[in-house]
Every structure is written in C-alpha cells, then in structure tokens.
Amino acid sequence: MTTRPSRAAGHAAALLVLLAVSACGIAAERSPTRLPDAGLPSTSGSTTTSVQPPVDSLDIYLVRDGRLVDRTRTAKHQSVEDAVTTLLDGPSSGDDAAGLRSAIAEGTRLLGASTHEGVAAINLSQEFAGVSGDEQVLAVAQLVYTVTSVPGISSVNVAVEGHDIEVPGGDGSLLNRPATRSDYAALVA
C-alpha cells in the first residue's frame, strides 16, 4: 500500500522552497521578465543574433514662423558630428507636415568638426554662405542651438571651406567670438 503525502506536507515543502529562494537575495517577480540578449549565437543553427549599437537622442532645431523649434532625433551617438549631420539632413516628412523648415541652404555639407574646452569648431561647405539677412541669422541660430544641445558644448565657431567667419547674432550684429545660445534666445519658440 502506497501512501500519498498529506496536503500539509505539500504546503510545507512549498514553503521551504520559497524560503530557500528568498534566502538567496533574489526578489520574486510577479510576471516573467525577458532577460537581455547577450549577443550569443543561437543554438538552433539557423539564426544568429547580433548586438545592436546603443541609440541616443539628439535635439535639432528647425524653423517655423521665424522661430526655432526643437525636434528630437535618434542617432548612434550624442556627438557634434552626428548633431550637425542630422541637422543638415533637413526636416522629415512629419516636420514638413507640421510647417517646419530649415533656413540652412540645401546642399550644405559638414567638412569637419572638433571640440576643445566646450567650444565646437564647425567647418561647413560653401553652400552654408548661400543665405543672407534674416535667413542667415536663423541658419546660424539653428546650428548653434543644435550643436550646444550636445552635452559639454557651450559655444560654436563656424568656418566655411576652412575659413573662420563672423556670424550674425540674433540682433544681426556680427560676432567675433564663439556664438552661444544666449545670442539667439529671442528666436526660440
């Protein structure tokens, strides 16, 4: 004759397992948790998994009704180069639908960028100089606000084809120093 464990014995065993797990210092979870993929190859032999690069967000500044408007974009890195390149890509179709545009001349390319003690030096192609007046002020303001959204950058020097240029401040006066956000604060929506 076989004996079945009593219900009390089953509850006691469950309690012992619960106490053992609790003593390990691992908190119990109410629902299953998916563990991050460690980038290990699949054991099924037919598929493999690769590690994806981290994705950061960047703030770029576009123009609507003569004012700067902040837009968030995804990028591989929060770098000056990525920020300028993303800005030069121009408005997305969603931005166009929202009435946003860029004052930066189409075709402007980033030729180089460097940073030193919080100052970014941006070298752009000749197309950047293709706008004037209020559009030039907005174009420089877009560049300054976008670049200074990168952590650690507080001001911007602009060069065209390797030649440093004086840029207009928000009031139209030429700046003979690195441009900062405060130079264009009146243009932010």
Side-chain angles (χ1 to χ4, degrees), residues 4 7 10 13-14 16 49-53 89 94 100 104 117-118 125 130-131 133 139 141-142 162 168 170 174 179:
R4 288 184 27 194
R7 205 173 238 190
L16 284 174
T49 305
S50 63
V51 176
Q52 296 298 319
D89 286 344
L100 297 169
I104 297 172
E117 295 181 359
S125 63
V131 295
Q142 280 183 263
L174 291 178

Side-chain angles (χ1 to χ4, degrees), residues 8-23:
H11 287 295
L15 182 60
L16 284 174
V17 169
L18 181 62
L19 288 173
V21 170
S22 302

Side-chain angles (χ1 to χ4, degrees), residues 91-104:
S92 68
S93 58
D95 296 329
D96 287 336
L100 297 169
R101 65 181 185 86
S102 179
I104 297 172

Side-chain angles (χ1 to χ4, degrees), residues 81-172:
E81 293 86 355
D82 281 352
V84 175
T85 301
T86 303
L87 176 64
L88 296 179
D89 286 344
S92 68
S93 58
D95 296 329
D96 287 336
L100 297 169
R101 65 181 185 86
S102 179
I104 297 172
E106 192 171 325
T108 300
R109 296 176 328 280
L110 175 64
L111 302 178
S114 62
T115 61
H116 180 70
E117 295 181 359
V119 179
I122 307 300
N123 184 19
L124 299 168
S125 63
Q126 185 62 40
E127 291 83 358
F128 186 76
V131 295
S132 60
D134 290 342
E135 286 295 292
Q136 186 180 37
V137 171
L138 287 169
V140 173
Q142 280 183 263
L143 183 65
V144 169
Y145 263 80
T146 297
V147 172
T148 58
S149 71
V150 174
I153 303 300
S154 58
S155 60
V156 179
N157 274 324
V158 181
V160 172
E161 301 288 336
H163 301 285
D164 288 339
I165 62 170
E166 291 183 330
V167 295
D171 62 359

Side-chain angles (χ1 to χ4, degrees), residues 34-121:
R34 181 169 172 82
L35 296 176
D37 182 2
L40 299 174
S42 170
T43 56
S44 67
S46 62
T47 60
T48 59
T49 305
S50 63
V51 176
Q52 296 298 319
V55 176
D56 284 320
S57 64
L58 292 170
D59 291 328
I60 67 163
Y61 288 80
L62 298 173
V63 177
R64 180 175 41 221
D65 300 326
R67 303 289 225 184
L68 297 182
V69 177
D70 180 18
R71 301 300 275 187
T72 301
R73 298 285 193 270
T74 57
K76 289 185 181 178
H77 307 285
Q78 279 189 324
S79 68
V80 170
E81 293 86 355
D82 281 352
V84 175
T85 301
T86 303
L87 176 64
L88 296 179
D89 286 344
S92 68
S93 58
D95 296 329
D96 287 336
L100 297 169
R101 65 181 185 86
S102 179
I104 297 172
E106 192 171 325
T108 300
R109 296 176 328 280
L110 175 64
L111 302 178
S114 62
T115 61
H116 180 70
E117 295 181 359
V119 179

